[in-house]
Amino acid sequence: MKNTLRTYAVIAIGIAAIGTTSCKKVEFDEKYNINPAPNVTSFANTSQLLSNVLLNVAGGPSEQAYYVQWLMQSQYPEGANYSTTNVGWGGFYAGSLMDLQTIINYNSGATAGDAKVTANGSNANQTAIARILKAYFFAQVTDRWGDVPYFSALKFNFNPVYDKQALIYADLFKELKAGAAQFDGGAAVKGDILFDGDAAKWKRFANTLRMVLAIRISKADAAQGKTEFAAAYNDAAGWVNSNDKNIAFQYLNNINFRSPWNAAFETRDDYGLSDVFLNWLNTNNDKRLAVYAQVNSAGQYKGLPYGFNRDQLINWSSTNDYSRIGTKIIGYRLTGAGQGPLISYAPSPGYIFTAAQMWLCVAEANALGWIGTAPETVTSYSNGIRASWDQWGATYTPAELTAYFASANVTLTGLSANDVLRVIAIQKWIAVFPNGQEGWSEWRRTNFPVLTPSAAALNDSKKIPVRLAYPVNEPTLNAGNYNAQVATMVGGDTHDAKVWWDK
Amino acid sequence: MRKISSLVMMLVLCTTLALAQNRVVTGQVTDDKGEPVAFASIKVKNGKTGVAADANGNFRIEVKDGAVLVISAAGSTDQEITVSAGKATYSVTLIKSNTELSSVVVTALGIKKSVKAITYATQNVSVERLTQTRDADFTTGLAGKVSGLTVSGQAGSKLGSTGAVRIRGVGSLNSANAIYVVDGTIVTNPADINMDNVATISVLKGNAATNLYGSLAEGGVIMITSRKPQKSKKWQVDFNTTTTLDVVNILPDYQNEYVGGGVANWRTFAFNPAIHPAEWKALDGKKFHDYSDDASWGPKMDGTEYIPWYSWYGGHKYSYQTASASPQKDNIRNFYDNAVTLNNNIAIGRGFEKGSMRFSYTNLNRTGIIPESKLNKHFLSANFNYEVIKNLTLNINANYTTEDIRGDFNDGYSNNTSGSFNQWFHRNLNTDILKELKGAKAGPANTLISWNHANPNANAAPSANFYKGNYWYNHYSYLELFQSEQNRQRLLGDVSLSYKIMKGLTASATYRLNYRPIEGFFKIPTAVRNGASQSGILDGYGTNESKFTEQTAEANIGYITNINDFSVDVMVGTQNIWRKTTDSSRSTNGGLVTPDIFTLANSTGLVNRGGNFGTYRATYGLFARGTFGWKDVLFADFSVRQEWNSRLPLQENGFNYPSYGVSFVFSEYLKKVLPTLTFGKLRASRSSVGSVPDAFLGEYALTPTYGTGNVSYNNNFFIGFPNTITDPTIKPAINISTEIGTDLRFFRDRLGLSFTYYTDERKNDIVPTSVSAPSGITSSILNAGLVTRQGFEVELNIKPIVTKNFTWDATLNWSSVDAKVEKVSDQSDILVRAGDAFGQIQLVHIKGEKPFQIVGNGIKRINGQPVIGADGTYETVANQNFGSTIADYFGGFFNNFNYKNWTLTAAFDFSQGGKFYSLSDNWGTYSGLLAKTAAINDNGKNVRDPVADGGGVHVFGVNESGKPYDVYVDGFTYYHQFYDRTPEEFIHDKSYIKFREASLGYRFNTKNWGTLGKAIKTMSFSLVARNLFIWTKVKGFDPSELAAEWGENGQLPGTRSYGATLRLGF
């Protein structure tokens, strides 16, 4: 009996011990608490989010630079031969765009008045910059993939709907206008490593982007294109019309903030200028050649044969002795692969919009009759070329430039309306180097210069890609919306399916 | 601690029959090593009286003089003693019968239980079996010896790494590995277990067995009990020494017909005195192959006189000489070293008045098969117990380990050994010359020379690039220059006090510590950076250190008693665990400013810093358990654990889960009907366990946080919105199991059979669910998945032959597991878990399928026939499912033969089903390294010969309209089509049968040695071998040693070992 009592006592103590403790919750010693976590914050500093976005505002090496035949791979030419189909977009949506959306979210609603937010600039100013940049990055996205989730994006909706590119473009114009109008003269925005919080420059950025996007829809919706272009062109805030206004991210002579073109060559040396691009510059005596390309070990400009496969490249007698990309772009000299330690981290600018590109846009708008008159086309065109030569500090005499203007492949004199557009497009093709995305978009829209697809093309169609296929996981993660979208696409989700503005 | 918990757990099995007056006889039952045999049965022959010994083997029985006592314990041969007048104390030694059927099982928290009372599956592994070949790796020693247990072994070439042990396959969307518990303390890394100190191992498999450990042990537990001091008051000294030689085992089947390079033609060197070095005149007009491409699609290796890679460089005996292009069949096998392992252990121990102590020291000294790799490890252990005052015992276990590892063990894509040999290599390279030219330099910049350099340029002087490597170094030079060293220390131990309050009532308190500091560094000399133009390797220096401290406080009170026919064994306790980790690493960024100065200050860019913050976590547990027995025949068992976990949301960080079971020893009622049935038991249990998976719910995972960096752009710092967000109301996943089983022994233990069937249901599984990126994030961690699992396990122990001089006993275990993903998440029916280095395959969970499916682009088929395009290459389709990586069934077969003093053992294990992907096979195919790329086709021609001449791969299939179609495709095109189009060619069956271990031993009769024999009490010598042979469907790869769940990226080769062991007891 005594034993039994003891047994019951032990069991009772056990049950009591468990029962008297709150089973749902226990207070741990402070350092074991999950909040706040050490060395991280759960309240984002909006200025740091903005800096993070701007770090990626200029592009680097891309396969698009192969598609427009500026560059060619020297060893494994799969990328240049169109092997890539599906491309991920997480870096845009879950990267820059979500950072920008977070800035907008912090500057509205309950946190808008928080001193941690307003210390980084007025709510209106922060929101204005975030909206303009959001439009910029969304344009990057839709120009790559075409119809993409837009209106339902960035809201933690795990099944976002795809929106038509035409509707997206219309909203981008709206956002650029509204964003530029939102600056309120309040405290300047911090963390702005592009413009140091200068609202005037952001307004100019917005106008410039509007002009670029307006030209982009010249074939798909000329009426809206004309309206938007003219409005932005004439806006008091102006646009990038001279090289001192060029919009560029300034890389530093510092390994952490060097140009991505520089980083790409650090331990790898596997591409250079393609013969297509190099030969055009060379035969037309274009002084940008000396900027865009280095000479090979024999002191010559020699392009890599575009459209070679690996075998052909190995047997090509000059493998390893072709023209690398110019030192002003990649930041140091390479006469052969990776010679010696890097001498500089290239504080080269990552150009986003330049006067050269914009004057050529204006020339095209003149030619289309959107603004101005025919003689203005010639002036704008010349301004564009001159700005491009000057942008990179090409060495030339006035006579050389005059001769270039007059040369057969450059002059506008005596050309048909279509040929005027052709030569403007070719000049833009040269001027926006090495911005592959912009070069590719303009080539897709204008179809100039006429490019022959690679003879060693690895894709099924053997055509130059005109679109990036959706990320490989979209069919599983967002099946309903993806399938509905693909059903509307001619030829399905391929890189041959043209985007809306590509006619 | 052991003694205390034994007391606590003691089952008193006295019968209460009153017989004619007898006298009291006491005694202790020990085994042949002098260690107590717990719960042995003591019965009067031909009588009804019987008692059971306690946990320390002590018994007390009342008998008449002249009675014969039969002492028996499962796993031992019965012993009889006759009670003689005047002698009241007897020592009984039971000889172990070498089967797995021990009578005692060490269960969760170190609690010993009689097999009769166990309501779930456990398995003891005899240490003799595990250490038969003295494998330095604890985990591979377990392979095939426990039902339901699989070892995904790491190749023996990767010193200091151990394979992961998985119990019952995979029952969730995460693959939880088993944990290791040494004397109650959780050990993080099985490499910290000193096999020479292990006394017993028991494996706890299902939830019911591991319930008391809660979420810590969802993957099962390997319970290890250390050797304890002898009771004997004399010093006992044991000495073991083993020397093992490891050699490379399985290598891919290489082609030996074509030299290196990317093109099939010989090129001819034209000497130009104006630009070329004068010495090259000797090479004028000679042939060379493409050196710049690191594949082997070069010209035929038919004895052609050619310029090998090294001839272009001066300064060695082969300079400016040609060689003949001839096969180098064993160049890879010759590259790897024959590795030596020396394992020496000495242990001393003795008992004294009120306690005992034991010390053990082991030195493990290994060299690896990878040149320049080595490991040196010291284990030091001490155990001490002492009865401080009456009924209060102090017990201390302390283990210290220090381990130094040096070498490059990278087994990823394109690593500098196997990643070259199996992926990017020239088949014509002569390993001896590579070795002779280790460290050799040449050229204007005096850089390292390499087999993979630029081709000579007919129009230009050789540039600096011509001398150095293109992508690759001379492997010997790289391994000599690259330095990486890690020192791992570990202090593991416990201090416990236990107090016997009164009969049957015991309280104890224990403090445990697991402290693991690790520090290391790497140095990459500037010669490496300058030695290749595109290797991607910069010079640099980095250091790392981390500390892991886990402290555990345990207290419990237990009570054991008998009330008439009932036995009661109950306990309540707590187990609180606090863990702190810090880790930090720093490395140079962008190379060194001043060559070969290995300091962080010499970094070109801002120093990279990793980790550098601490994490804290706490887990509090409160538990109660009880076992109630009736007449030693029927047992009911329950346990419940309440747990609070600091990684869970503050508003609800506690959860609890119960477990209960019954066992019924039915053989007690069948003695007359079925006398051959020595023991028969049925058991059933149902239990649940919560899970807070480390991989996705680490510390501070619940709120979106923004990391801060030290990198600034003109004083602007950077943060980004996180890509993953965790559900702030996340709950633990819960695993609910039902298990039934039976344990049967026949013919006085000559035959033993154990059978278990279980079903598991895993609810609210916690997974990072990929979500569509336009949502703003790419993944979300939430309670989602549902996985079910069922399986059975069979263990069979037989002794087919038992004669005076010869015995054969064997153990066979067989397990089958079948799991199914019932749900992935609300967002998706597919969850991506991992992938290979190139994204060719992905390891995914798919609703309705087994977990861990390999998917990728597949060959398009019509009615099972591959569809071939016009150019003879396969058409492909996206997202093909190639099957699960999980085996359908697996097991092992262990044999032990004794003939007089000789012992022969042989251990096999097998696995059937499951797939893996080999990236090495992919690149080895693409690069023309593997034999299939130079096979002979059905025309008797090489597949690389022109199709017009009868060469090419004969491809059979159908065309796009489904009509039969066959065509010859030239080998280069055929074998190049797979890269980035379909990995299907490289998905292989994981099934294997492995002859894993064998040993032949001889036990010397030291008793006949006179004086020497008095000093040396035992002495045995054995020859051992491991990884003797494997039967597989795949050739050239060892599916039992895969580094990744899905396969391998560039895995190091496995090893075969031969060794000799000498054991001495003084």
Side-chain angles (χ1 to χ4, degrees), chain A residues 75 99 154 250 310 337 474, chain B residues 293 465 471 534 713 721 772 774:
Chain A
Q75 292 165 30
D99 289 347
L154 312 178
Q250 184 59 50
R310 174 141 174 83
E474 270 295 290
Chain B
D293 192 307
N465 271 326
Y471 312 104
Q534 301 191 78
Y713 179 102
F721 193 84
S772 180

Side-chain angles (χ1 to χ4, degrees), chain B residues 780-834:
Chain B
S780 176
I781 294 172
L782 35 83
N783 289 109
L786 174 64
V787 180
T788 56
R789 169 170 68 172
Q790 56 188 333
F792 44 88
E793 289 154 4
V794 181
E795 294 149 35
L796 185 64
N797 297 281
I798 48 172
K799 282 194 253 184
I801 300 169
V802 181
T803 65
K804 187 162 179 275
N805 286 329
F806 182 74
T807 58
W808 172 26
D809 59 85
T811 308
L812 177 70
N813 75 72
W814 193 91
S815 315
S816 112
V817 185
D818 189 20
K820 187 175 167 191
V821 177
E822 306 282 356
K823 180 188 165 193
V824 171
S825 70
D826 293 332
Q827 278 68 46
S828 179
D829 291 339
I830 297 187
L831 170 68
V832 177
R833 288 289 282 116

Side-chain angles (χ1 to χ4, degrees), chain A residues 3 6 23-26 34 41 52 75-76 94 99 154 156-157 250 255-257 267 269 310-311 337 345 474, chain B residues 262 293 465 471 502 534 536 561 589-590 604-605 642 646 653-654 702 706 712-713 719 721 723 772 774-775:
Chain A
N3 284 353
R6 264 189 221 139
C23 291
K24 297 230 164 189
K25 170 174 180 187
V26 78
I34 44 181
T41 169
N52 198 44
Q75 292 165 30
Y76 291 98
D99 289 347
L154 312 178
F156 304 116
N157 172 356
Q250 184 59 50
I255 193 168
N256 297 300
F257 298 102
T267 62
D269 178 20
R310 174 141 174 83
D311 263 26
Y345 289 110
E474 270 295 290
Chain B
D293 192 307
N465 271 326
Y471 312 104
M502 61 177 76
Q534 301 191 78
T561 190
N589 176 6
T604 301
Q642 165 73 30
S646 70
N653 58 15
L702 296 174
Y706 304 87
S712 88
Y713 179 102
I719 56 171
F721 193 84
N723 285 338
S772 180
S775 66

Side-chain angles (χ1 to χ4, degrees), chain A residues 220-442:
Chain A
D221 188 348
Q224 190 183 19
K226 180 178 178 177
T227 309
E228 293 294 338
F229 194 92
Y233 177 82
N234 292 314
D235 190 88
W239 45 278
V240 175
N241 60 358
S242 60
N243 275 334
D244 61 341
K245 292 176 189 154
N246 284 347
I247 300 173
F249 184 78
Q250 184 59 50
Y251 294 107
L252 306 180
N253 187 2
N254 167 335
I255 193 168
N256 297 300
F257 298 102
R258 58 177 159 164
S259 156
W261 289 95
N262 182 289
F265 282 90
E266 182 169 74
T267 62
R268 201 75 187 175
D269 178 20
D270 48 8
Y271 53 94
L273 266 70
S274 92
D275 59 348
V276 175
F277 189 50
L278 187 143
N279 291 349
W280 197 100
L281 297 170
N282 211 2
T283 55
N284 291 290
N285 203 19
D286 192 316
K287 295 299 174 190
R288 284 170 287 193
L289 177 61
V291 178
Y292 290 175
Q294 301 180 31
V295 293
N296 71 1
S297 66
Q300 302 154 333
Y301 288 104
K302 188 164 194 172
L304 279 158
Y306 194 82
F308 267 17
N309 64 23
R310 174 141 174 83
D311 263 26
Q312 290 169 306
L313 284 167
I314 290 170
N315 276 329
W316 187 54
S317 61
S318 300
T319 299
N320 209 31
D321 204 25
Y322 52 87
S323 288
R324 268 73 176 181
I325 299 168
T327 54
K328 284 185 178 167
I329 297 166
I330 63 172
Y332 60 96
R333 185 165 178 75
L334 281 161
T335 52
Q339 278 191 348
L342 304 183
I343 52 166
S344 159
Y345 289 110
S348 59
Y351 287 110
I352 301 157
F353 297 117
T354 61
Q357 178 191 356
M358 297 317 296
W359 277 114
L360 291 167
C361 285
V362 171
E364 187 176 348
N366 292 145
L368 290 169
W370 286 6
I371 50 167
T373 58
E376 287 176 43
T377 309
V378 178
T379 310
S380 307
Y381 178 69
S382 307
N383 285 348
I385 293 171
R386 190 183 301 108
S388 181
W389 285 34
D390 290 340
Q391 173 192 332
W392 292 103
T395 311
Y396 65 94
T397 63
E400 282 169 331
L401 184 62
T402 309
Y404 182 76
F405 283 144
S407 64
N409 289 321
V410 180
T411 183
L412 296 179
T413 311
L415 296 186
S416 67
N418 191 52
D419 279 343
V420 165
L421 293 179
R422 177 176 62 82
V423 295
I424 293 172
I426 289 172
Q427 283 300 324
K428 199 185 266 182
W429 176 62
I430 300 165
V432 300
F433 179 85
N435 183 343
Q437 175 59 27
E438 189 61 27
W440 181 53
S441 288
E442 287 301 90

Side-chain angles (χ1 to χ4, degrees), chain B residues 514-572:
Chain B
N514 179 1
Y515 173 61
R516 294 171 51 82
I518 297 175
E519 58 183 17
F521 68 85
F522 72 86
K523 293 177 183 173
I524 305 176
T526 307
V528 173
R529 174 196 196 134
N530 293 340
S533 44
Q534 301 191 78
S535 68
I537 303 174
L538 297 176
D539 47 356
Y541 168 70
T543 62
N544 63 284
E545 66 261 332
S546 65
K547 280 181 191 150
F548 173 101
T549 311
E550 188 162 274
Q551 300 178 80
T552 306
E554 289 171 6
N556 61 55
I557 180 161
Y559 183 61
I560 296 174
T561 190
N562 290 294
I563 306 157
N564 302 328
D565 283 346
F566 294 93
S567 65
V568 174
D569 168 7
V570 289
M571 178 188 259
V572 293

Side-chain angles (χ1 to χ4, degrees), chain A residues 1 31 47 63 66 68 71 88 97 101 133 142 149 169 197 215 220 228 237 258 314 391 416 419 438 455 495:
Chain A
M1 196 56 205
K31 69 185 172 190
S47 72
E63 294 200 341
Y66 303 136
V68 295
L71 302 178
L97 285 168
Q101 186 64 48
L133 280 169
T142 186
Y169 258 72
I215 277 288
E228 293 294 338
R258 58 177 159 164
I314 290 170
Q391 173 192 332
S416 67
D419 279 343
E438 189 61 27
H495 59 197

